Amino acid sequence: MSALASGLLGSLDPTSDRAVFRQIADQLREAIDKGRFAEGAKLPSESELVEHFSVSRMTVRNALSILQSEGLVSSEHGKGVFVRPRPPVRRLASDRFARRHREQGKSAFIVEADAAGSHPEVDNLEVKEERPTPDISARLGAPRKVLARRRRYLLDGRPVEFAVSYLPLDLARDTPIAQPNPGPGGIYARLEELGHTLDHFEEEIKARMPSPQEVRTLRLAAGVPVFHLIRTAFDTKGRAVEVCDTVMAADAYVLNYQLPAT
Amino acid sequence: MSALASGLLGSLDPTSDRAVFRQIADQLREAIDKGRFAEGAKLPSESELVEHFSVSRMTVRNALSILQSEGLVSSEHGKGVFVRPRPPVRRLASDRFARRHREQGKSAFIVEADAAGSHPEVDNLEVKEERPTPDISARLGAPRKVLARRRRYLLDGRPVEFAVSYLPLDLARDTPIAQPNPGPGGIYARLEELGHTLDHFEEEIKARMPSPQEVRTLRLAAGVPVFHLIRTAFDTKGRAVEVCDTVMAADAYVLNYQLPAT
DNA sequence: CTTGACCACTCGTCTATACGAGTTGGCGTT
DNA sequence: AACGCCAACTCGTATAGACGAGTGGTCAAG
């Protein structure tokens, strides 16, 4: 095994003023980038690296923790440290809320995932009346209470997205929107049936590191950021009729938008 | 000083099976979230935390490194560990490339930043002929060579964005586009003057942790992800006339898009 | 053949110690 | 008053050792 490390890794430069653990991280990173360790492959164990570089174990662990925080590798207790495989990504097209996509019975998430050959699931459904946070309240025109629809999306068993939709309660109470399953076309179809013809959506996107709670909910590996997307739906009267607050595992998504040049 | 820590932090639960360094991180995180440590405030020093929790210094450093990788704090050698202030963010509107914004003389970046009261700079200008990477080549319709325009954007002295525009060389050679300063309205105005009336843009957005190179170029703190945005400009004939590859410090941006509901 | 015990190997957590290097403020000299 | 030096504080790097806990294989007993 130690032969493996020797063949794929070089040695340290004692004259360099770059810290030893950084040099080790650099060498491993380069080896991964150049494909000398394939996706999913196991890196040399900590003790092999200790021997190869003649350093203490903490130094090796320090180096590995850099690569982990970069999202390059992940460690598995009792097994080893592995090059993180790139999960298949879901592309979110900017026309995914176009009216023509609302005709069929299944939700956009299910349809898209099926088309891509993945196994989709929706989870954790909760529909509740709540008092809105100041931010949500401002976006929805300060309703006293809102209907909150929470759900989690999974792809091939992996949670990839957690979303909460907020609607003014006066608009959603005692409608199919307040049901766990709002029916074909989702809540946007129901909103239009209720006379709130949709005009446009606004999406606001941030990226950041996840909170510990989000790490649990999305089972995120170290070094994976999240997209935080807030979408507001406006009807033709200019009223904000829904705000959807979504947190997505960033390594599972590519967002696509189409912008007019006019 | 140790009194400070005692007042704001609790004690450990030895019966918990949660690791000590995680418990310490939890306590500090909670204190920060609740505002007991304000933005920019200094946390208790490592040795103060060592004394307060009666653990070894490595355990404290381990806890702090968690908060660092979450982007909550950053350490400064010789000074201390500080709650990371939220930098002012730049909102990128989806209509920022609309034709009407191209009329005036200054670039979109300069105009927007001035309006927001920040001091904008552009940096690192380089214009070069290159052979395209396979990805860029595919997006531009496989030109043999491309013109690459590299630049870095700074806001109030802080680098926030690094961008490279690629244009098919046959389109850009011997035009103002190949000049370091392409003139009022930027290269999009020049493209339209050359008969390539712009029809629409496509943007593709990923978020990930930065490479060490990107950390240097954007002077990123630990725990800050980047947006990786690839924009393709299409003319009215359906030809891809430019690809812009941009890496942005995610803590400096909120992206905004407007989508039609039709 | 299956089961279970054991063992070797993996990473996870924690301690104790040492020295280096950047920052700050005070104190004495000039 | 201005300067320079030093001491005390900060975090950064590295070592050496210990024990715990998860995993997977071997091997012997059933």
Side-chain angles (χ1 to χ4, degrees), chain B residues 9-13 23 27 52-53:
Chain B
L9 299 172
S11 54
L12 301 177
D13 173 7
Q23 291 188 50
Q27 293 217 8
H52 179 81
F53 290 113

Side-chain angles (χ1 to χ4, degrees), chain B:
Chain B
M1 271 304 181
S2 188
L4 179 86
S6 311
L8 298 176
L9 299 172
S11 54
L12 301 177
D13 173 7
T15 71
S16 163
D17 48 1
R18 188 157 179 81
V20 173
F21 74 91
R22 289 187 204 285
Q23 291 188 50
I24 297 176
D26 291 344
Q27 293 217 8
L28 290 168
R29 190 187 303 106
E30 189 187 331
I32 293 169
D33 285 345
K34 296 207 172 156
R36 292 203 286 272
F37 294 109
E39 275 185 29
K42 184 174 169 303
L43 295 191
S45 75
E46 292 178 355
S47 40
E48 280 164 7
L49 292 171
V50 162
E51 197 182 343
H52 179 81
F53 290 113
S54 303
V55 295
S56 82
R57 183 163 166 236
M58 283 309 292
T59 303
V60 165
R61 283 183 61 78
N62 218 332
L64 290 172
S65 83
I66 290 184
L67 299 183
Q68 247 189 76
S69 69
E70 288 172 357
L72 273 182
V73 306
S74 66
S75 61
E76 294 177 41
H77 193 167
K79 296 206 222 169
V81 179
F82 299 86
V83 179
R84 237 160 53 88
R86 292 178 211 288
V89 296
R90 203 162 89 87
R91 304 186 86 88
L92 283 195
S94 56
D95 71 345
R96 66 192 182 282
F97 298 115
R99 201 161 282 124
R100 66 191 144 85
H101 291 331
R102 279 202 291 281
E103 309 307 324
Q104 60 259 15
K106 291 193 268 185
S107 90
F109 180 78
I110 307 280
V111 173
E112 276 183 46
D114 278 340
S118 318
H119 172 60
E121 290 168 89
V122 184
D123 183 88
N124 226 359
L125 214 65
E126 180 191 76
V127 184
K128 240 172 52 179
E129 300 184 5
E130 295 179 0
R131 258 206 296 247
T133 64
D135 178 62
I136 298 297
S137 177
R139 289 172 195 269
L140 280 177
R144 270 192 46 256
K145 293 193 78 178
V146 294
L147 186 79
R149 300 179 52 92
R150 290 190 165 69
R151 68 273 183 199
R152 189 172 70 156
Y153 296 98
L154 298 91
L155 233 40
D156 298 322
R158 183 202 166 188
V160 291
E161 177 175 347
F162 184 79
V164 192
S165 281
Y166 299 95
L167 298 101
L169 191 55
D170 67 306
L171 191 151
R173 175 175 263 162
D174 301 328
T175 73
I177 295 171
Q179 299 300 313
N181 182 354
I187 61 172
Y188 292 144
R190 296 296 86 70
L191 279 168
E192 298 216 311
E193 286 166 9
L194 290 168
H196 299 283
T197 307
L198 295 178
D199 183 72
H200 69 280
F201 301 93
E202 276 179 22
E203 292 196 337
E204 192 175 294
I205 308 171
K206 300 179 203 171
R208 54 171 171 76
M209 293 314 282
S211 70
Q213 219 261 83
E214 291 162 345
V215 169
R216 279 195 303 276
T217 309
L218 296 176
R219 276 192 248 130
L220 293 168
V224 178
V226 292
F227 279 120
H228 189 169
L229 190 153
I230 301 174
R231 177 179 53 251
T232 310
F234 292 90
D235 68 12
T236 49
K237 299 188 203 77
R239 178 181 181 186
V241 291
E242 185 232 19
V243 170
C244 183
D245 184 306
T246 305
V247 175
M248 295 178 281
D251 64 351
Y253 282 91
V254 178
L255 310 184
N256 268 273
Y257 290 91
Q258 197 156 126
L259 317 175
T262 48

Side-chain angles (χ1 to χ4, degrees), chain A residues 53-101:
Chain A
F53 290 114
S54 303
V55 294
S56 81
R57 184 166 165 234
M58 283 309 294
T59 303
V60 164
R61 283 181 62 78
N62 219 331
L64 290 171
S65 82
I66 292 184
L67 299 183
Q68 246 188 76
S69 70
E70 289 172 356
L72 274 181
V73 306
S74 66
S75 62
E76 295 178 40
H77 193 167
K79 295 205 220 169
V81 180
F82 300 85
V83 179
R84 240 162 50 93
R86 292 176 215 289
V89 295
R90 204 161 87 87
R91 307 186 83 89
L92 284 194
S94 57
D95 72 343
R96 65 192 182 281
F97 298 116
R99 200 161 282 124
R100 65 192 145 84
H101 290 333

Side-chain angles (χ1 to χ4, degrees), chain A residues 148-218:
Chain A
R149 300 179 50 91
R150 290 190 166 69
R151 67 273 184 199
R152 191 173 67 156
Y153 296 100
L154 299 91
L155 235 39
D156 297 322
R158 183 201 166 187
V160 292
E161 177 175 347
F162 185 80
V164 191
S165 282
Y166 300 95
L167 298 100
L169 191 56
D170 67 306
L171 191 152
R173 175 174 263 164
D174 301 328
T175 73
I177 295 171
Q179 298 299 313
N181 183 352
I187 61 172
Y188 293 144
R190 295 299 86 67
L191 279 168
E192 298 216 311
E193 287 165 10
L194 289 168
H196 299 283
T197 308
L198 295 178
D199 184 72
H200 69 280
F201 301 93
E202 278 180 19
E203 292 196 345
E204 190 175 295
I205 309 170
K206 300 179 203 173
R208 55 171 171 76
M209 294 313 282
S211 71
Q213 219 261 83
E214 290 162 346
V215 168
R216 279 195 303 277
T217 308
L218 296 176

Side-chain angles (χ1 to χ4, degrees), chain A residues 110-125:
Chain A
I110 307 280
V111 173
E112 281 180 40
D114 277 340
S118 317
H119 172 61
E121 289 169 90
V122 184
D123 181 90
N124 224 0
L125 214 66

